[in-house]
Amino acid sequence: MATVWRSQSAFARIFAGKSGLILNNTADLGAKLNPASISTLKKHYSNYAHSPFVRKIQEQYEFEIIKNPPEWEYVQRLLPFESIPKITPKAAYPSGWIPQKEEASNLPYFIERNKNQDLSIYLDISYRGMRKISKIKKIEGDIWLMNDDVKDFLKKRYKRYIETRVHELGKFIEVKGDYVNALNEWAYSKGF
Amino acid sequence: MTSILIKALKSIYISVPSQNAKFATSAICSNTLSITNKEWKYPPTFTKPREVWIENLDTIEEKKLGLFELHPTVYGATPRIDIIHRNVIWQRKYRWVSWAHTKTRAEVRGGGRKPWPQKGLGKARHGSIRSPLFRGGGVIHGPRAGNTHFFMLPFHLRLYGLTSTLSAKLAQDDLHVVKDLDIPSDNSEYLAELILSRNWGPSVLIVDDTDYAPRNITVATGNLPHVNLMPVYGLNVYSMLKHDTLILTQSAAEKIEDRILQLLHSDTRKQQAKFKLDQV
């Protein structure tokens, strides 16, 4: 049997009887619905399936539907974003965050920003802090050329050889050691 | 014929002379012009958009109705076969209930009596002939029926499973975009011949963005068990791999693209939350 709405009003059932039309709206029965008038007596039907259906449900409150009222913008302000909003270009950002530059896509390689517009350079710490690996993710284009450039940059800055590892299919480069700040600086200088 | 068409399409960029009108109807013009004009909400930064032909289904001979751009994040991603594999395993497992069943020593019939006295026979002591040590006895730690293998793959693995499979299909020339699903007859032989002549392999999955496909293609595919119709919301990795060729209508291709791009660029904490049984 399909699910049906049952009357919540036990009081209405008494007046209507078992076979009668049960109305949720008590005004139709000629009685006012106030706390005092609601009877606490309950009518027990032999089972749920044999209890009568609710026939007519009127809206308790009267309202009218308005399309696009001027106040809707205040509601919209409270609604969560459908997607992460686009960045509004500014001269400087107080947080120190730097946006991606247009000319970065002219290079043979490219680092994509993530959906929150952050650089995808991360530090992986493992073996209880004994192994630190900096990881550049989301690399597009010539990953091997980028590996050479990163190696050169780190060698010049730290004046020693620094090991890297390229994963071409996974589109990432791993640098052995914590060089996240240096790599961020390099990426920002390239415009990524 | 094809080369003439390509020339015609190229010349549209420069100018639209009237003699090209017989190759390019107004609809084709808008398609070809959309090569440069197509604007996504999240435009590709570095990777170029993938270009596909818009094909037709209303003749057996293939006609190229225009060019169409697909977003590289969705249709040009690195095909991660490990993610595709995990999706396939997930799709097989989440609906699998194992009904393999064995009886324990308590459920095997008999075995209530002590088979022989504890002492005095020189034999090993036993309390029941249905003990797991006995032939015909109960099974220890055997499979019990109604074992569900349900689990949810993490949300982004499901998402990247779709992009990986779509990209692999496109790279292998197994993804075709058609303008619509209108075919001239409801005869399944027509569709079989079309699939044969275009080398679409025996099995074809046709995806449209509506629930209601045109009558002719519904009737024509009804007799062909290896040609299936599917709405966009039913698209999944398993079905795409099961069929040789994936046919998307233009609107379906766009809808898939929009939906995946939207999810890749929005807050997905709700989708990533732990799966609850009452959430469906």
Side-chain angles (χ1 to χ4, degrees):
Chain A
M1 193 183 162
T3 342
V4 288
W5 282 17
R6 303 286 160 179
S7 171
Q8 296 295 311
S9 166
F11 143 83
R13 282 187 184 157
I14 293 161
F15 280 93
K18 195 189 172 187
S19 58
L21 189 73
I22 295 233
L23 298 161
N24 198 26
N25 187 354
T26 47
D28 288 356
L29 284 170
K32 276 185 181 177
L33 183 67
N34 55 48
S37 74
I38 293 174
S39 167
T40 49
L41 286 171
K42 274 196 271 182
K43 170 79 178 165
H44 290 289
Y45 295 101
S46 59
N47 65 31
Y48 177 74
H50 291 161
S51 63
F53 296 145
V54 174
R55 293 289 172 82
K56 191 176 169 187
I57 298 174
Q58 271 195 356
E59 294 293 343
Q60 199 176 353
Y61 304 104
E62 285 190 357
F63 58 87
E64 53 178 325
I65 296 166
I66 308 168
K67 299 275 170 152
N68 295 325
E71 295 86 5
W72 179 245
E73 63 174 291
Y74 299 109
V75 180
Q76 255 177 338
R77 243 169 28 182
L78 298 172
L79 294 173
F81 291 123
E82 274 186 9
S83 61
I84 294 164
K86 277 186 179 173
I87 44 166
T88 44
K90 290 176 196 167
Y93 297 85
S95 66
W97 173 82
I98 300 164
Q100 195 162 37
K101 283 174 194 156
E102 284 279 320
E103 60 264 26
S105 53
N106 299 330
L107 290 167
Y109 46 79
F110 188 75
I111 307 174
E112 252 180 58
R113 294 278 176 113
N114 66 12
K115 66 181 173 185
N116 294 321
Q117 292 295 324
D118 284 328
L119 254 181
S120 29
I121 298 175
Y122 305 98
L123 181 66
D124 281 352
I125 301 176
S126 50
Y127 294 105
R128 292 178 152 224
M130 294 305 292
R131 189 176 75 170
K132 287 177 183 167
I133 285 171
S134 317
K135 199 171 180 182
I136 313 171
K137 287 168 75 178
K138 292 190 166 199
I139 300 168
E140 301 282 338
D142 194 345
I143 192 166
W144 294 97
L145 184 64
M146 179 170 164
N147 181 45
D148 295 343
D149 288 5
V150 166
K151 265 190 165 169
D152 275 358
F153 168 77
L154 291 174
K155 193 170 188 179
K156 270 175 200 157
R157 170 172 284 211
Y158 294 99
K159 296 188 176 54
R160 62 188 169 82
Y161 177 79
I162 287 163
E163 192 68 81
T164 62
R165 182 162 77 155
V166 178
H167 196 307
E168 202 172 347
L169 185 67
K171 294 180 173 180
F172 62 80
I173 294 175
E174 287 176 326
V175 182
K176 198 173 176 184
D178 181 359
Y179 298 105
V180 168
N181 287 338
L183 289 172
N184 274 338
E185 218 171 280
W186 175 82
Y188 286 137
S189 74
K190 292 275 181 186
F192 297 130
Chain B
M1 177 63 197
T2 318
S3 58
I4 299 165
L5 187 66
I6 293 166
K7 275 179 200 164
L9 292 171
K10 279 179 183 169
S11 62
I12 290 166
Y13 280 110
I14 309 153
S15 61
V16 188
S18 58
Q19 67 264 27
N20 278 332
K22 61 182 172 184
F23 300 112
T25 61
S26 61
I28 294 167
C29 273
S30 64
N31 286 330
T32 46
L33 288 174
S34 73
I35 298 164
T36 43
N37 289 343
K38 183 150 186 185
E39 279 180 10
W40 286 283
K41 200 178 172 190
Y42 312 99
T45 41
F46 183 79
T47 319
K48 280 182 185 139
R50 297 288 186 270
E51 284 183 339
V52 287
W53 290 110
I54 299 171
E55 295 168 35
N56 69 326
L57 284 182
D58 50 10
T59 54
I60 288 178
E61 186 203 345
E62 186 183 320
K63 279 185 203 161
K64 293 184 165 59
L65 300 177
L67 266 175
F68 187 53
E69 278 187 336
L70 296 173
H71 200 286
T73 314
V74 180
Y75 293 95
T78 312
R80 288 275 302 271
I81 51 169
D82 55 331
I83 294 181
I84 294 175
H85 178 252
R86 283 181 75 175
N87 270 272
V88 170
I89 296 297
W90 169 64
Q91 282 193 265
R92 276 164 51 187
K93 275 190 172 174
Y94 73 74
R95 58 178 183 179
W96 174 33
V97 179
S98 169
W99 293 102
H101 190 75
T102 53
K103 285 181 176 172
T104 66
R105 60 182 292 172
E107 289 160 354
V108 182
R109 190 184 178 95
R113 187 185 59 171
K114 191 169 177 71
W116 50 78
Q118 181 82 351
K119 295 172 79 72
L121 293 182
K123 295 170 86 172
R125 46 200 180 189
H126 283 293
S128 163
I129 60 160
R130 298 304 183 201
S131 133
L133 300 182
F134 274 67
R135 180 184 162 277
V139 176
I140 324 166
H141 301 314
R144 303 291 288 174
N147 188 15
T148 62
H149 293 259
F150 179 88
F151 75 103
M152 285 306 277
L153 199 67
F155 177 73
H156 282 96
L157 285 184
R158 283 178 267 156
L159 216 53
Y160 289 129
L162 286 176
T163 58
S164 288
T165 318
L166 285 169
S167 308
K169 281 274 176 195
L170 183 65
Q172 292 171 354
D173 200 19
D174 284 335
L175 191 151
H176 296 272
V177 177
V178 293
K179 193 157 174 48
D180 46 36
L181 298 182
D182 290 334
I183 54 172
S185 76
D186 60 1
N187 194 352
S188 57
E189 279 172 21
Y190 169 82
L191 204 62
E193 203 181 323
L194 185 144
I195 288 166
L196 188 69
S197 70
R198 297 195 190 178
N199 275 331
W200 281 355
S203 57
V204 174
L205 179 67
I206 303 167
V207 178
D208 198 4
D209 73 327
T210 54
D211 290 341
Y212 299 98
R215 187 185 176 278
N216 276 355
I217 196 147
T218 318
V219 177
T221 53
N223 288 336
L224 299 170
H226 51 276
V227 180
N228 292 303
L229 287 170
M230 190 180 266
V232 156
Y233 59 77
L235 189 74
N236 63 85
V237 173
Y238 190 94
S239 302
M240 280 196 274
L241 290 186
K242 188 174 178 177
H243 295 82
D244 288 317
T245 308
L246 178 67
I247 308 296
L248 303 176
T249 60
Q250 198 182 342
S251 49
E254 273 182 331
K255 204 166 185 178
I256 293 165
E257 197 177 83
D258 288 348
R259 183 90 183 101
I260 291 179
L261 282 178
Q262 162 75 18
L263 286 169
L264 285 176
H265 290 91
S266 54
D267 182 5
T268 49
R269 274 176 296 182
K270 203 177 158 193
Q271 286 94 331
Q272 285 170 270
K274 191 178 184 299
F275 180 80
K276 295 172 209 73
L277 276 178
D278 59 348
Q279 78 182 30
V280 185

